[in-house]
Amino acid sequence: MILRPGKVIVPSAVIRRLPMYYRYLRAMTEKGVERISSKALSEEMNITSSQLRQDLSYFGEFGQQGYGYKVPELYRVMCDILGIEKQYGTVLVGVGNLGRAIINYDGFSKRGLEVMAVFDNKPLLYGEVVCGMPIKPVSQLYEFLCNNMVDIGIIATPAKSAQDIAEVLIKGGVKGIWNFAPQPVLGNEHVVVENTHFGDGLLKLFYGMKHN
Amino acid sequence: MILRPGKVIVPSAVIRRLPMYYRYLRAMTEKGVERISSKALSEEMNITSSQLRQDLSYFGEFGQQGYGYKVPELYRVMCDILGIEKQYGTVLVGVGNLGRAIINYDGFSKRGLEVMAVFDNKPLLYGEVVCGMPIKPVSQLYEFLCNNMVDIGIIATPAKSAQDIAEVLIKGGVKGIWNFAPQPVLGNEHVVVENTHFGDGLLKLFYGMKHN
């Protein structure tokens, strides 16, 4: 395995497939699979083996002619590419059903998400304990960010508050924002934003049903 | 505007972008925007105008040299392509935080999702009213499907029950399954499945933070 030195521009379509590679390699590693051919791995993921090889080629040289891939090694490499090797201090803003679903979702803590505090702007919720933490008022968010090392802010608020919250998170020094509000938010050159459009899957399903 | 006759194979990367087109066109229509150039529309969505034109070309001929696109018309076309014009009778299985977040999410009813019943397998939840409906035992799911016209089943259960639920939904005659369990489920030639991997956005965020 040779990792590519220096900066390579990786197309966004390739980046989009990395989580899928991670999921499959993780599942295989957990099942104890030691090696797999690029044909078998790509069939498992419903892509062509040439696409798999091309995608991985952005990150280094993996696998061997006639042998295939060493699964645990490729899994570790994928964790490294994605930056899963570390812990990310995280705050959640918006503790409705979606916020609760996010912090309770199986697997996020395994991926290194360490939720440090949860915030909401509904006084009725203040002090309620969620995942072992009392819900704090959003008015305390900035102070919390100043006094703690927080890497990621998760926004699960209604659309209208999302950009305001994003700006507090940015001013407070987070490095990444994961936004679930139905309104995309903007980061800046130092703060990466991932806008997750929860409902896009439904539209893809409608499309599939109509054109099946 | 000329809609393409007959069947055209649309690449999955194009289908994946359709929900984004829908979201932007919907927002512009709501703001009362009447026309937009392909340059302005594509910049808004952070893609190239040639990609926009190429994607739309799978579905017909839209827009006019020097005029651009008629926004309300293109929005209606996008609704039609995605099959948003109709109502979809829906059941939800799994009424935890994620299930509740899904049925309460702003916008799904506007997209035609009509939740007819909600199911869970925890006796403590039976009868609790969610969105105006009492939670029913999963053991009644198949009978409900036989007695009602249900188009879509949403699965928001833990991984281990997901495929079993999918099989009941398929046997009960749904046409589409939207699966949120962390385990992908399989449909068949008559039943379209959309597996939504809730956590993929987090991995993309990690990647962005590491390589920013």
PDB file of all heavy atoms in Angstrom, chain A residues 158-191:
ATOM      1  N   PRO A 158     -35.393  24.619  13.595  1.00  0.00           N
ATOM      2  CA  PRO A 158     -36.171  24.999  12.407  1.00  0.00           C
ATOM      3  C   PRO A 158     -35.312  25.844  11.451  1.00  0.00           C
ATOM      4  O   PRO A 158     -34.278  26.404  11.849  1.00  0.00           O
ATOM      5  CB  PRO A 158     -37.309  25.834  12.994  1.00  0.00           C
ATOM      6  CG  PRO A 158     -37.415  25.413  14.425  1.00  0.00           C
ATOM      7  CD  PRO A 158     -36.002  25.103  14.840  1.00  0.00           C
ATOM      8  N   ALA A 159     -35.782  25.925  10.206  1.00  0.00           N
ATOM      9  CA  ALA A 159     -35.029  26.625   9.155  1.00  0.00           C
ATOM     10  C   ALA A 159     -34.650  28.050   9.550  1.00  0.00           C
ATOM     11  O   ALA A 159     -33.520  28.493   9.330  1.00  0.00           O
ATOM     12  CB  ALA A 159     -35.852  26.645   7.870  1.00  0.00           C
ATOM     13  N   LYS A 160     -35.588  28.776  10.186  1.00  0.00           N
ATOM     14  CA  LYS A 160     -35.366  30.216  10.356  1.00  0.00           C
ATOM     15  C   LYS A 160     -34.224  30.555  11.310  1.00  0.00           C
ATOM     16  O   LYS A 160     -33.615  31.615  11.203  1.00  0.00           O
ATOM     17  CB  LYS A 160     -36.666  30.931  10.754  1.00  0.00           C
ATOM     18  CG  LYS A 160     -37.224  30.537  12.112  1.00  0.00           C
ATOM     19  CD  LYS A 160     -38.498  31.321  12.400  1.00  0.00           C
ATOM     20  CE  LYS A 160     -38.944  31.170  13.838  1.00  0.00           C
ATOM     21  NZ  LYS A 160     -39.069  29.774  14.301  1.00  0.00           N
ATOM     22  N   SER A 161     -33.889  29.654  12.266  1.00  0.00           N
ATOM     23  CA  SER A 161     -32.800  29.965  13.192  1.00  0.00           C
ATOM     24  C   SER A 161     -31.452  29.422  12.729  1.00  0.00           C
ATOM     25  O   SER A 161     -30.410  29.729  13.336  1.00  0.00           O
ATOM     26  CB  SER A 161     -33.081  29.389  14.591  1.00  0.00           C
ATOM     27  OG  SER A 161     -34.346  28.824  14.708  1.00  0.00           O
ATOM     28  N   ALA A 162     -31.441  28.608  11.676  1.00  0.00           N
ATOM     29  CA  ALA A 162     -30.233  27.839  11.360  1.00  0.00           C
ATOM     30  C   ALA A 162     -29.000  28.717  11.102  1.00  0.00           C
ATOM     31  O   ALA A 162     -27.927  28.478  11.664  1.00  0.00           O
ATOM     32  CB  ALA A 162     -30.508  26.916  10.171  1.00  0.00           C
ATOM     33  N   GLN A 163     -29.128  29.755  10.256  1.00  0.00           N
ATOM     34  CA  GLN A 163     -27.940  30.555   9.939  1.00  0.00           C
ATOM     35  C   GLN A 163     -27.446  31.337  11.158  1.00  0.00           C
ATOM     36  O   GLN A 163     -26.238  31.456  11.363  1.00  0.00           O
ATOM     37  CB  GLN A 163     -28.220  31.486   8.743  1.00  0.00           C
ATOM     38  CG  GLN A 163     -26.980  32.224   8.230  1.00  0.00           C
ATOM     39  CD  GLN A 163     -25.879  31.290   7.702  1.00  0.00           C
ATOM     40  OE1 GLN A 163     -26.151  30.339   6.975  1.00  0.00           O
ATOM     41  NE2 GLN A 163     -24.636  31.541   8.084  1.00  0.00           N
ATOM     42  N   ASP A 164     -28.358  31.824  11.995  1.00  0.00           N
ATOM     43  CA  ASP A 164     -27.937  32.533  13.216  1.00  0.00           C
ATOM     44  C   ASP A 164     -27.116  31.607  14.120  1.00  0.00           C
ATOM     45  O   ASP A 164     -26.085  32.002  14.658  1.00  0.00           O
ATOM     46  CB  ASP A 164     -29.160  33.035  14.017  1.00  0.00           C
ATOM     47  CG  ASP A 164     -29.859  34.195  13.300  1.00  0.00           C
ATOM     48  OD1 ASP A 164     -29.275  34.728  12.336  1.00  0.00           O
ATOM     49  OD2 ASP A 164     -30.977  34.547  13.702  1.00  0.00           O
ATOM     50  N   ILE A 165     -27.611  30.396  14.293  1.00  0.00           N
ATOM     51  CA  ILE A 165     -26.884  29.420  15.128  1.00  0.00           C
ATOM     52  C   ILE A 165     -25.520  29.129  14.495  1.00  0.00           C
ATOM     53  O   ILE A 165     -24.488  29.077  15.171  1.00  0.00           O
ATOM     54  CB  ILE A 165     -27.694  28.102  15.260  1.00  0.00           C
ATOM     55  CG1 ILE A 165     -29.047  28.350  15.930  1.00  0.00           C
ATOM     56  CG2 ILE A 165     -26.884  27.057  16.023  1.00  0.00           C
ATOM     57  CD1 ILE A 165     -28.981  28.770  17.375  1.00  0.00           C
ATOM     58  N   ALA A 166     -25.512  28.965  13.165  1.00  0.00           N
ATOM     59  CA  ALA A 166     -24.242  28.685  12.472  1.00  0.00           C
ATOM     60  C   ALA A 166     -23.239  29.797  12.760  1.00  0.00           C
ATOM     61  O   ALA A 166     -22.053  29.542  12.992  1.00  0.00           O
ATOM     62  CB  ALA A 166     -24.481  28.547  10.972  1.00  0.00           C
ATOM     63  N   GLU A 167     -23.714  31.043  12.779  1.00  0.00           N
ATOM     64  CA  GLU A 167     -22.786  32.148  13.010  1.00  0.00           C
ATOM     65  C   GLU A 167     -22.227  32.150  14.435  1.00  0.00           C
ATOM     66  O   GLU A 167     -21.048  32.438  14.638  1.00  0.00           O
ATOM     67  CB  GLU A 167     -23.433  33.483  12.612  1.00  0.00           C
ATOM     68  CG  GLU A 167     -23.254  33.644  11.097  1.00  0.00           C
ATOM     69  CD  GLU A 167     -24.247  34.567  10.432  1.00  0.00           C
ATOM     70  OE1 GLU A 167     -24.718  35.506  11.096  1.00  0.00           O
ATOM     71  OE2 GLU A 167     -24.558  34.325   9.244  1.00  0.00           O
ATOM     72  N   VAL A 168     -23.045  31.768  15.406  1.00  0.00           N
ATOM     73  CA  VAL A 168     -22.532  31.637  16.775  1.00  0.00           C
ATOM     74  C   VAL A 168     -21.483  30.517  16.827  1.00  0.00           C
ATOM     75  O   VAL A 168     -20.416  30.668  17.435  1.00  0.00           O
ATOM     76  CB  VAL A 168     -23.685  31.348  17.773  1.00  0.00           C
ATOM     77  CG1 VAL A 168     -23.140  31.139  19.180  1.00  0.00           C
ATOM     78  CG2 VAL A 168     -24.713  32.468  17.759  1.00  0.00           C
ATOM     79  N   LEU A 169     -21.786  29.402  16.173  1.00  0.00           N
ATOM     80  CA  LEU A 169     -20.844  28.275  16.168  1.00  0.00           C
ATOM     81  C   LEU A 169     -19.509  28.684  15.541  1.00  0.00           C
ATOM     82  O   LEU A 169     -18.436  28.361  16.048  1.00  0.00           O
ATOM     83  CB  LEU A 169     -21.445  27.086  15.398  1.00  0.00           C
ATOM     84  CG  LEU A 169     -22.650  26.384  16.059  1.00  0.00           C
ATOM     85  CD1 LEU A 169     -23.334  25.446  15.078  1.00  0.00           C
ATOM     86  CD2 LEU A 169     -22.209  25.603  17.314  1.00  0.00           C
ATOM     87  N   ILE A 170     -19.585  29.419  14.432  1.00  0.00           N
ATOM     88  CA  ILE A 170     -18.370  29.846  13.727  1.00  0.00           C
ATOM     89  C   ILE A 170     -17.564  30.800  14.620  1.00  0.00           C
ATOM     90  O   ILE A 170     -16.362  30.624  14.798  1.00  0.00           O
ATOM     91  CB  ILE A 170     -18.743  30.511  12.383  1.00  0.00           C
ATOM     92  CG1 ILE A 170     -19.295  29.452  11.417  1.00  0.00           C
ATOM     93  CG2 ILE A 170     -17.532  31.219  11.768  1.00  0.00           C
ATOM     94  CD1 ILE A 170     -19.953  30.006  10.167  1.00  0.00           C
ATOM     95  N   LYS A 171     -18.258  31.779  15.202  1.00  0.00           N
ATOM     96  CA  LYS A 171     -17.592  32.745  16.092  1.00  0.00           C
ATOM     97  C   LYS A 171     -16.990  32.018  17.302  1.00  0.00           C
ATOM     98  O   LYS A 171     -15.926  32.384  17.802  1.00  0.00           O
ATOM     99  CB  LYS A 171     -18.640  33.769  16.568  1.00  0.00           C
ATOM    100  CG  LYS A 171     -18.103  35.166  16.816  1.00  0.00           C
ATOM    101  CD  LYS A 171     -19.263  36.132  17.083  1.00  0.00           C
ATOM    102  CE  LYS A 171     -18.979  36.945  18.335  1.00  0.00           C
ATOM    103  NZ  LYS A 171     -20.204  37.347  19.048  1.00  0.00           N
ATOM    104  N   GLY A 172     -17.646  30.965  17.738  1.00  0.00           N
ATOM    105  CA  GLY A 172     -17.158  30.201  18.894  1.00  0.00           C
ATOM    106  C   GLY A 172     -16.032  29.245  18.566  1.00  0.00           C
ATOM    107  O   GLY A 172     -15.526  28.565  19.461  1.00  0.00           O
ATOM    108  N   GLY A 173     -15.659  29.151  17.281  1.00  0.00           N
ATOM    109  CA  GLY A 173     -14.448  28.405  16.931  1.00  0.00           C
ATOM    110  C   GLY A 173     -14.605  26.951  16.513  1.00  0.00           C
ATOM    111  O   GLY A 173     -13.613  26.219  16.473  1.00  0.00           O
ATOM    112  N   VAL A 174     -15.826  26.502  16.170  1.00  0.00           N
ATOM    113  CA  VAL A 174     -15.921  25.114  15.697  1.00  0.00           C
ATOM    114  C   VAL A 174     -15.233  24.986  14.333  1.00  0.00           C
ATOM    115  O   VAL A 174     -15.014  25.987  13.643  1.00  0.00           O
ATOM    116  CB  VAL A 174     -17.387  24.618  15.567  1.00  0.00           C
ATOM    117  CG1 VAL A 174     -18.141  24.752  16.879  1.00  0.00           C
ATOM    118  CG2 VAL A 174     -18.123  25.318  14.437  1.00  0.00           C
ATOM    119  N   LYS A 175     -14.871  23.758  13.983  1.00  0.00           N
ATOM    120  CA  LYS A 175     -14.221  23.525  12.681  1.00  0.00           C
ATOM    121  C   LYS A 175     -15.193  22.931  11.654  1.00  0.00           C
ATOM    122  O   LYS A 175     -14.916  22.917  10.460  1.00  0.00           O
ATOM    123  CB  LYS A 175     -13.023  22.599  12.864  1.00  0.00           C
ATOM    124  CG  LYS A 175     -11.909  23.241  13.687  1.00  0.00           C
ATOM    125  CD  LYS A 175     -10.791  22.226  13.971  1.00  0.00           C
ATOM    126  CE  LYS A 175      -9.975  22.630  15.177  1.00  0.00           C
ATOM    127  NZ  LYS A 175     -10.657  22.283  16.473  1.00  0.00           N
ATOM    128  N   GLY A 176     -16.314  22.425  12.160  1.00  0.00           N
ATOM    129  CA  GLY A 176     -17.272  21.809  11.247  1.00  0.00           C
ATOM    130  C   GLY A 176     -18.695  21.980  11.742  1.00  0.00           C
ATOM    131  O   GLY A 176     -18.942  22.018  12.950  1.00  0.00           O
ATOM    132  N   ILE A 177     -19.626  22.114  10.808  1.00  0.00           N
ATOM    133  CA  ILE A 177     -21.055  22.222  11.147  1.00  0.00           C
ATOM    134  C   ILE A 177     -21.813  21.163  10.351  1.00  0.00           C
ATOM    135  O   ILE A 177     -21.643  21.052   9.134  1.00  0.00           O
ATOM    136  CB  ILE A 177     -21.601  23.628  10.800  1.00  0.00           C
ATOM    137  CG1 ILE A 177     -20.943  24.685  11.695  1.00  0.00           C
ATOM    138  CG2 ILE A 177     -23.122  23.674  10.950  1.00  0.00           C
ATOM    139  CD1 ILE A 177     -21.338  26.117  11.347  1.00  0.00           C
ATOM    140  N   TRP A 178     -22.619  20.397  11.089  1.00  0.00           N
ATOM    141  CA  TRP A 178     -23.484  19.418  10.424  1.00  0.00           C
ATOM    142  C   TRP A 178     -24.905  19.925  10.580  1.00  0.00           C
ATOM    143  O   TRP A 178     -25.460  19.920  11.675  1.00  0.00           O
ATOM    144  CB  TRP A 178     -23.318  18.050  11.076  1.00  0.00           C
ATOM    145  CG  TRP A 178     -23.919  16.915  10.312  1.00  0.00           C
ATOM    146  CD1 TRP A 178     -24.310  16.903   9.008  1.00  0.00           C
ATOM    147  CD2 TRP A 178     -24.170  15.589  10.811  1.00  0.00           C
ATOM    148  NE1 TRP A 178     -24.795  15.655   8.662  1.00  0.00           N
ATOM    149  CE2 TRP A 178     -24.720  14.835   9.745  1.00  0.00           C
ATOM    150  CE3 TRP A 178     -23.978  14.974  12.038  1.00  0.00           C
ATOM    151  CZ2 TRP A 178     -25.082  13.499   9.889  1.00  0.00           C
ATOM    152  CZ3 TRP A 178     -24.337  13.636  12.186  1.00  0.00           C
ATOM    153  CH2 TRP A 178     -24.884  12.909  11.116  1.00  0.00           C
ATOM    154  N   ASN A 179     -25.484  20.377   9.467  1.00  0.00           N
ATOM    155  CA  ASN A 179     -26.774  21.054   9.516  1.00  0.00           C
ATOM    156  C   ASN A 179     -27.914  20.188   8.993  1.00  0.00           C
ATOM    157  O   ASN A 179     -27.880  19.727   7.854  1.00  0.00           O
ATOM    158  CB  ASN A 179     -26.700  22.348   8.688  1.00  0.00           C
ATOM    159  CG  ASN A 179     -28.042  23.041   8.606  1.00  0.00           C
ATOM    160  OD1 ASN A 179     -28.762  23.121   9.602  1.00  0.00           O
ATOM    161  ND2 ASN A 179     -28.380  23.515   7.423  1.00  0.00           N
ATOM    162  N   PHE A 180     -28.920  20.009   9.831  1.00  0.00           N
ATOM    163  CA  PHE A 180     -30.111  19.241   9.456  1.00  0.00           C
ATOM    164  C   PHE A 180     -31.319  20.131   9.216  1.00  0.00           C
ATOM    165  O   PHE A 180     -32.382  19.624   8.874  1.00  0.00           O
ATOM    166  CB  PHE A 180     -30.479  18.252  10.573  1.00  0.00           C
ATOM    167  CG  PHE A 180     -29.642  17.026  10.579  1.00  0.00           C
ATOM    168  CD1 PHE A 180     -28.433  17.012  11.248  1.00  0.00           C
ATOM    169  CD2 PHE A 180     -30.035  15.896   9.905  1.00  0.00           C
ATOM    170  CE1 PHE A 180     -27.647  15.879  11.257  1.00  0.00           C
ATOM    171  CE2 PHE A 180     -29.263  14.760   9.901  1.00  0.00           C
ATOM    172  CZ  PHE A 180     -28.054  14.753  10.581  1.00  0.00           C
ATOM    173  N   ALA A 181     -31.195  21.432   9.486  1.00  0.00           N
ATOM    174  CA  ALA A 181     -32.331  22.310   9.250  1.00  0.00           C
ATOM    175  C   ALA A 181     -32.640  22.310   7.751  1.00  0.00           C
ATOM    176  O   ALA A 181     -31.734  22.152   6.934  1.00  0.00           O
ATOM    177  CB  ALA A 181     -32.011  23.724   9.732  1.00  0.00           C
ATOM    178  N   PRO A 182     -33.922  22.489   7.382  1.00  0.00           N
ATOM    179  CA  PRO A 182     -34.272  22.430   5.947  1.00  0.00           C
ATOM    180  C   PRO A 182     -33.739  23.625   5.152  1.00  0.00           C
ATOM    181  O   PRO A 182     -34.055  23.761   3.975  1.00  0.00           O
ATOM    182  CB  PRO A 182     -35.803  22.401   5.946  1.00  0.00           C
ATOM    183  CG  PRO A 182     -36.259  22.465   7.349  1.00  0.00           C
ATOM    184  CD  PRO A 182     -35.094  22.626   8.257  1.00  0.00           C
ATOM    185  N   GLN A 183     -32.938  24.487   5.786  1.00  0.00           N
ATOM    186  CA  GLN A 183     -32.353  25.644   5.117  1.00  0.00           C
ATOM    187  C   GLN A 183     -30.825  25.473   5.139  1.00  0.00           C
ATOM    188  O   GLN A 183     -30.241  25.391   6.217  1.00  0.00           O
ATOM    189  CB  GLN A 183     -32.764  26.891   5.932  1.00  0.00           C
ATOM    190  CG  GLN A 183     -32.079  28.168   5.542  1.00  0.00           C
ATOM    191  CD  GLN A 183     -32.523  28.619   4.163  1.00  0.00           C
ATOM    192  OE1 GLN A 183     -33.692  28.552   3.828  1.00  0.00           O
ATOM    193  NE2 GLN A 183     -31.563  29.049   3.353  1.00  0.00           N
ATOM    194  N   PRO A 184     -30.163  25.386   3.963  1.00  0.00           N
ATOM    195  CA  PRO A 184     -28.701  25.241   3.973  1.00  0.00           C
ATOM    196  C   PRO A 184     -28.048  26.406   4.707  1.00  0.00           C
ATOM    197  O   PRO A 184     -28.531  27.537   4.611  1.00  0.00           O
ATOM    198  CB  PRO A 184     -28.312  25.274   2.494  1.00  0.00           C
ATOM    199  CG  PRO A 184     -29.562  25.024   1.734  1.00  0.00           C
ATOM    200  CD  PRO A 184     -30.695  25.469   2.602  1.00  0.00           C
ATOM    201  N   VAL A 185     -26.970  26.174   5.452  1.00  0.00           N
ATOM    202  CA  VAL A 185     -26.243  27.274   6.096  1.00  0.00           C
ATOM    203  C   VAL A 185     -24.874  27.411   5.440  1.00  0.00           C
ATOM    204  O   VAL A 185     -24.390  26.495   4.778  1.00  0.00           O
ATOM    205  CB  VAL A 185     -26.102  27.079   7.631  1.00  0.00           C
ATOM    206  CG1 VAL A 185     -27.461  26.934   8.287  1.00  0.00           C
ATOM    207  CG2 VAL A 185     -25.198  25.902   7.967  1.00  0.00           C
ATOM    208  N   LEU A 186     -24.264  28.583   5.629  1.00  0.00           N
ATOM    209  CA  LEU A 186     -22.962  28.869   5.030  1.00  0.00           C
ATOM    210  C   LEU A 186     -21.867  28.803   6.089  1.00  0.00           C
ATOM    211  O   LEU A 186     -22.060  29.289   7.203  1.00  0.00           O
ATOM    212  CB  LEU A 186     -22.973  30.274   4.413  1.00  0.00           C
ATOM    213  CG  LEU A 186     -23.965  30.491   3.276  1.00  0.00           C
ATOM    214  CD1 LEU A 186     -24.028  31.962   2.899  1.00  0.00           C
ATOM    215  CD2 LEU A 186     -23.563  29.637   2.072  1.00  0.00           C
ATOM    216  N   GLY A 187     -20.726  28.233   5.724  1.00  0.00           N
ATOM    217  CA  GLY A 187     -19.558  28.270   6.602  1.00  0.00           C
ATOM    218  C   GLY A 187     -18.622  29.370   6.126  1.00  0.00           C
ATOM    219  O   GLY A 187     -19.071  30.389   5.601  1.00  0.00           O
ATOM    220  N   ASN A 188     -17.331  29.172   6.311  1.00  0.00           N
ATOM    221  CA  ASN A 188     -16.354  30.083   5.721  1.00  0.00           C
ATOM    222  C   ASN A 188     -15.098  29.279   5.395  1.00  0.00           C
ATOM    223  O   ASN A 188     -15.129  28.045   5.476  1.00  0.00           O
ATOM    224  CB  ASN A 188     -16.087  31.283   6.649  1.00  0.00           C
ATOM    225  CG  ASN A 188     -15.446  30.873   7.970  1.00  0.00           C
ATOM    226  OD1 ASN A 188     -14.806  29.821   8.068  1.00  0.00           O
ATOM    227  ND2 ASN A 188     -15.644  31.680   8.985  1.00  0.00           N
ATOM    228  N   GLU A 189     -13.985  29.953   5.086  1.00  0.00           N
ATOM    229  CA  GLU A 189     -12.823  29.169   4.650  1.00  0.00           C
ATOM    230  C   GLU A 189     -12.262  28.275   5.760  1.00  0.00           C
ATOM    231  O   GLU A 189     -11.564  27.301   5.477  1.00  0.00           O
ATOM    232  CB  GLU A 189     -11.731  30.099   4.097  1.00  0.00           C
ATOM    233  CG  GLU A 189     -11.324  31.149   5.108  1.00  0.00           C
ATOM    234  CD  GLU A 189     -10.287  32.147   4.580  1.00  0.00           C
ATOM    235  OE1 GLU A 189      -9.347  31.720   3.916  1.00  0.00           O
ATOM    236  OE2 GLU A 189     -10.452  33.360   4.870  1.00  0.00           O
ATOM    237  N   HIS A 190     -12.577  28.583   7.023  1.00  0.00           N
ATOM    238  CA  HIS A 190     -12.060  27.774   8.121  1.00  0.00           C
ATOM    239  C   HIS A 190     -13.063  26.742   8.625  1.00  0.00           C
ATOM    240  O   HIS A 190     -12.692  25.838   9.375  1.00  0.00           O
ATOM    241  CB  HIS A 190     -11.677  28.667   9.310  1.00  0.00           C
ATOM    242  CG  HIS A 190     -10.743  29.765   8.928  1.00  0.00           C
ATOM    243  ND1 HIS A 190      -9.469  29.512   8.474  1.00  0.00           N
ATOM    244  CD2 HIS A 190     -10.897  31.119   8.901  1.00  0.00           C
ATOM    245  CE1 HIS A 190      -8.872  30.669   8.196  1.00  0.00           C
ATOM    246  NE2 HIS A 190      -9.728  31.655   8.426  1.00  0.00           N
ATOM    247  N   VAL A 191     -14.313  26.934   8.290  1.00  0.00           N
ATOM    248  CA  VAL A 191     -15.364  26.075   8.858  1.00  0.00           C
ATOM    249  C   VAL A 191     -16.099  25.332   7.740  1.00  0.00           C
ATOM    250  O   VAL A 191     -16.722  25.950   6.874  1.00  0.00           O
ATOM    251  CB  VAL A 191     -16.374  26.913   9.690  1.00  0.00           C
ATOM    252  CG1 VAL A 191     -17.438  26.013  10.290  1.00  0.00           C
ATOM    253  CG2 VAL A 191     -15.650  27.675  10.788  1.00  0.00           C
TER     254      VAL A 191
END
